[in-house]
Amino acid sequence: MRTIDLRSDTVTLPSSEMRKAMADAELGDDVFGEDPTVNRLQEMAASLLGKEAALLVTSGTQGNLAALLTHCRRGDEVIVGHLSHTLNFEVGGASALGGLIMKAVRNDANGRLNPGEVRAAMRPSDDHFARTGLICLENTHNFCGGTVLGEEDLAAVRDLADDHHLPVHIDGARIFNAAVSLNIPVSRLVAFADSITFCLSKGLGCPVGSVLCGSREFIEEARRYRKMLGGGMRQAGILAAAGLYALDNMVERLAEDQENARIAAEALAEIPGIALAPPPQTNLVYFTVEGWDLAAFVRRLAEEGILCFDEGGRIRWVTHFGIERADVEEAVARLRSVMAAGIGLHRAGV
Ligand code: TLP
């Protein structure tokens, strides 16, 4: 039985063409700024995203943390969505290592922040208060369902930030999914932010790596924080070559993942007891399963060769490179038979 791994787009393996590009990469010591392949990736990422400069980092977590440390001083407050990855899934690094205070503002169902609530979260200048140092957004928004922030959503926060002279950072782990979904150049979405992290190691299919983009001055400073965080990587051109290959060859195909997510969602929605939570906008499909203990349900699916996670009272299926339409249809068929056979066996609380 073929295992269908829908846990995350982080499980993607590099294609043979990507591996070849990695094997052939011209290398140097990137801590000395001498790896030509890293330099090429950084230039390409910066120009694609419409920023002055870029920095290859080990992970999305490291990119976001380096960004927060660069924008803020110890003791500053960072305004961040209450369901954001940075707040909830990045080990509290900004507070533990940076002395930053994470100030949560409600994400709406689409992952947006309400400008009025962001405004209310900002601190007036007063000796009693921490300084507000940064506003963070997430696009696509993972926990809200892979939802897309469009230009209007981003512009509203940008205007507010400008009024209060605050920088904006986007956790754009899946920003290319947002751009493909909206069918606009990624640079248009990034134009509203001072800095952005995007991941090479998710839907773009690279084995390792993320890229932080911003102004030249910002990236120079972030480079110091990357070193402090242990992210100076020497002959990192091996990884950058995968990134260059991905930016050339793996962006447009994200539309296939999004189409497969839509196909999965439509089929799942027809199964009694399943409700989409919410309908997918990109490559993440979240759904609830009525009457089941979700941990038991995930275990039963794993026995049937379907790997996925339960997250926040929902199941998440992620489509990605290596998952074809037939896999998605097969996954739905196996789920359907688990539900049909298991009625009453694994009910919640039984
Ligand atoms: N997300 C992973 C898990 O950590 C949940 C996943 O499987 O979705 N921002 C966002 C929006 C993310 O979804 C992730 C990873 C990150 C940042 C962190 O990236 P990495 O894993 O490279 O540190």
Side-chain angles (χ1 to χ4, degrees):
M1 184 172 54
R2 170 169 150 70
T3 299
I4 303 172
D5 193 343
L6 302 172
R7 286 173 301 169
S8 181
D9 42 14
T10 60
V11 303
T12 48
L13 298 176
S15 64
S16 47
E17 294 82 1
M18 183 180 279
R19 285 173 194 253
K20 175 151 183 7
M22 296 171 75
D24 293 346
E26 204 188 330
L27 304 175
D29 189 324
D30 180 51
V31 172
F32 302 156
E34 289 173 5
D35 188 302
T37 311
V38 171
N39 292 341
R40 270 205 299 135
L41 171 67
Q42 291 175 167
E43 279 157 28
M44 181 175 179
S47 104
L48 199 59
L49 274 79
K51 296 292 178 209
E52 283 174 10
L55 185 68
L56 175 65
V57 291
T58 59
S59 64
T61 301
Q62 187 178 67
N64 287 333
L65 180 53
L68 267 56
L69 295 175
T70 306
H71 282 300
C72 300
R73 285 173 285 182
R74 286 186 77 78
D76 279 2
E77 277 185 345
V78 177
I79 296 179
V80 68
H82 80 298
L83 296 175
S84 66
H85 195 278
T86 302
L87 178 67
N88 297 297
F89 298 99
E90 293 175 17
V91 211
S95 303
L97 306 179
L100 303 179
I101 304 160
M102 302 300 270
K103 179 127 180 174
V105 167
R106 193 180 53 87
N107 283 116
D108 73 7
N110 208 58
R112 288 177 293 230
L113 301 181
N114 175 297
E117 292 174 27
V118 172
R119 171 72 199 85
M122 288 176 189
R123 300 291 202 170
S125 171
D126 180 305
D127 280 355
H128 294 85
F129 298 136
R131 278 192 203 94
T132 303
L134 177 68
I135 303 173
C136 279
L137 300 173
E138 185 174 317
N139 199 14
T140 65
H141 199 290
N142 182 347
F143 214 71
C144 290
T147 47
V148 176
L149 300 185
E151 290 176 278
E152 271 179 33
D153 305 323
L154 297 164
V157 173
R158 177 78 261 172
D159 286 348
L160 190 62
D162 284 345
D163 287 347
H164 297 271
H165 310 290
L166 286 175
V168 176
H169 173 70
I170 296 181
D171 173 2
R174 298 186 179 84
I175 193 76
F176 286 99
N177 289 90
V180 166
S181 164
L182 294 168
N183 197 21
I184 59 174
V186 70
S187 55
R188 268 176 52 188
L189 294 175
V190 176
F192 297 97
D194 299 277
S195 61
I196 172 152
T197 309
F198 73 86
C199 291
L200 296 165
S201 61
K202 297 195 167 61
L204 299 183
C206 298
V208 181
S210 290
V211 181
L212 175 61
C213 303
S215 70
R216 201 167 306 286
E217 194 188 355
F218 172 85
I219 291 297
E220 254 169 47
E221 188 63 12
R223 194 178 162 87
R224 291 176 55 79
Y225 281 114
R226 180 187 69 171
K227 190 77 177 76
M228 192 187 284
L229 298 172
M233 289 189 290
R234 309 298 175 184
Q235 285 73 39
I238 293 244
L239 303 176
L244 281 164
Y245 179 87
L247 292 178
D248 274 334
N249 298 285
M250 303 290 284
V251 172
E252 278 166 28
R253 64 152 306 287
L254 293 174
E256 287 169 39
D257 299 341
Q258 298 181 177
E259 173 66 2
N260 287 335
R262 195 188 57 75
I263 288 166
E266 272 181 22
L268 287 167
E270 283 173 13
I271 301 174
I274 300 259
L276 297 173
Q281 295 180 17
T282 53
N283 68 325
L284 311 185
V285 185
Y286 281 91
F287 55 95
T288 55
V289 189
E290 195 188 302
W292 282 76
D293 171 74
L294 280 193
F297 191 68
V298 165
R299 278 199 302 277
R300 276 293 297 120
L301 288 179
E303 285 162 15
E304 297 303 321
I306 310 294
L307 304 185
C308 58
F309 289 128
D310 66 305
E311 304 216 3
R314 301 162 299 166
I315 304 276
R316 186 182 79 160
W317 279 9
V318 184
T319 54
H320 53 80
F321 178 61
I323 296 291
E324 306 294 333
R325 179 182 178 144
D327 298 315
V328 159
E329 287 167 350
E330 174 67 20
V332 174
R334 290 188 208 169
L335 176 142
R336 198 190 295 272
S337 59
V338 164
M339 286 194 74
I343 296 289
L345 291 180
H346 297 277
R347 289 202 166 266
V350 175

